[in-house]
Amino acid sequence: MTQSSNNGRQLRLPDFVAVGPGRTGTTWLHEVLKGRVDLPAGIKETDFFTTNYHKGIQWYAHHFRDADGGRPIGEVNPYFGFPEAAERIALHIPRCKIICTFRNPVERIYSAYKLWRHYTLTNFPLDEFLVKVPQVIEVTRYARHLPDWRARFGQDRVLVLLNDDLRADPQAYLDRVCDFIGIARYPVPALAAQGKLINSITDLPRFPHLARKARHFMYWLEEKQLYGMINFLERAGLWKFTFGGGPKFSSLDQATEARLHDLMRPEFDALEPMIGRDLSMWKRPQADCSPAAPRADAIQGK
């Protein structure tokens, strides 16, 4: 999509943004779209419409400098739950298509907590963490924020997908995305079908102090846009070594799970008529639900 800036220069900006929230299969979607659409050069998430907005629209457009207009441009970035992001995307790309990926809120909240622990962003127990970082719950309030996206972009330009459908039938899930963004359908790549292209979180860092230093180094590389170095270190196994190898995460205890279900139940009830889906599978404790399909943990990005 071409947009004009204030100085008359033509900018290449996304035709669609998959806004998440995070821990709902966004990494899977980014990976399977590679090579089929034009994504940000060198990085998955620019965070432009949230933390990096002060850098200006030219900075953002530079990430799509390699796009030649021959295929859709997109970004997969968890902007859902941030009203300022919806407002800014509507300002700069008013005809943008939006993809929302929703996952069982209780699972998503716990997965987000594990991500924070994995990257040494917190050491608090879950209950205390959710008090100190309320945004984790806020971005999981799908029924609260979905109407704003629909109002800004139009209901026909906002696609709602459920992680349950991804687990049950990855190909049908991808087909819906292809139809929505306007590209030909194609088979789910083998590694993605096997759940091997997923940002799964299973363990804590073996050396927390080293992990904190590595995280700050990663942030510094991102600030300098040294994405190639970040990706090289990932391929070399540095990030996996630094941020993993420690104790494994346990399953969410039943008492905490029950409290989160009670907290999020109004969201379940409000979302059902909003998207026309039966969400009864979200309303039962996870222990009561039979697995939807093999590789569920991987596809969910636990």
Side-chain angles (χ1 to χ4, degrees), residues 23-24 102-105 107-108 111 142 163 282 300 302:
R23 316 309 300 163
T24 61
F102 296 159
R103 175 184 176 185
N104 181 321
E107 295 177 359
R108 200 215 77 83
S111 183
Y142 310 140
N163 184 267
W282 289 0
Q300 291 177 114
K302 284 192 173 183

Side-chain angles (χ1 to χ4, degrees), residues 199-218:
N199 181 21
S200 182
I201 301 297
T202 60
D203 48 10
L204 290 160
R206 53 168 64 83
F207 305 120
H209 181 68
L210 177 62
R212 283 191 289 272
K213 288 184 177 295
R215 173 166 50 83
H216 290 302
F217 178 52
M218 181 188 295

Side-chain angles (χ1 to χ4, degrees), residues 20 29 50 62 64 78 82 120 122 129 132 158 166-167 173 176 229 285:
L29 184 58
T50 48
H62 185 66
F64 307 103
F82 295 88
T120 67
T122 186
F129 167 77
K132 293 182 177 294
V158 177
L166 170 57
R167 287 187 287 162
Y173 186 93
R176 290 192 65 195
M229 177 60 70

Side-chain angles (χ1 to χ4, degrees), residues 17 19 21 49 66 73 86 100-101 113 116 131 155 161 169 171 176 195-196 200 236 240 243 246 259 261 267-268 302:
V17 179
V19 298
F49 293 105
D66 297 330
I73 301 170
C100 301
T101 52
Y113 170 68
W116 280 62
V131 172
Q155 186 161 330
L161 301 171
D169 191 340
Q171 186 63 62
R176 290 192 65 195
K196 295 182 178 180
S200 182
K240 182 177 181 179
F243 295 116
R259 288 197 298 272
H261 267 98
E267 287 292 315
F268 303 160
K302 284 192 173 183

Side-chain angles (χ1 to χ4, degrees), residues 111-168:
S111 183
Y113 170 68
K114 290 193 291 185
L115 182 71
W116 280 62
R117 291 289 307 276
H118 185 73
Y119 286 109
T120 67
L121 291 164
T122 186
N123 198 35
F124 292 116
L126 178 59
D127 288 348
E128 191 173 351
F129 167 77
L130 294 176
V131 172
K132 293 182 177 294
V133 191
Q135 188 64 38
V136 171
I137 290 178
E138 186 61 28
V139 302
T140 318
R141 296 192 184 279
Y142 310 140
R144 175 178 297 181
H145 296 287
L146 178 59
D148 181 46
W149 291 93
R150 284 177 165 177
R152 293 181 185 279
F153 297 93
Q155 186 161 330
D156 63 330
R157 301 185 74 82
V158 177
L159 176 66
V160 174
L161 301 171
L162 299 185
N163 184 267
D164 305 80
D165 297 335
L166 170 57
R167 287 187 287 162

Side-chain angles (χ1 to χ4, degrees), residues 14-22 24-30 32-33 37 39 44 72-81 86 89 93 95-103 139 142 145-146 149-150 153-163 166 172-183 186 275:
D15 299 288
F16 72 91
V17 179
V19 298
T24 61
T26 54
T27 297
W28 185 93
L29 184 58
H30 175 87
V32 299
L33 287 176
V37 301
L39 297 165
K44 173 177 176 276
I73 301 170
E75 182 180 18
V76 181
N77 199 309
Y79 294 124
F80 191 88
I89 295 173
I93 327 173
R95 297 293 295 166
C96 187
K97 293 182 178 180
I98 302 296
I99 301 174
C100 301
T101 52
F102 296 159
R103 175 184 176 185
V139 302
Y142 310 140
H145 296 287
L146 178 59
W149 291 93
R150 284 177 165 177
F153 297 93
Q155 186 161 330
D156 63 330
R157 301 185 74 82
V158 177
L159 176 66
V160 174
L161 301 171
L162 299 185
N163 184 267
L166 170 57
Y173 186 93
L174 178 59
D175 288 348
R176 290 192 65 195
V177 173
C178 292
D179 294 346
F180 181 68
I181 63 178
I183 63 174
Y186 58 95
I275 64 173

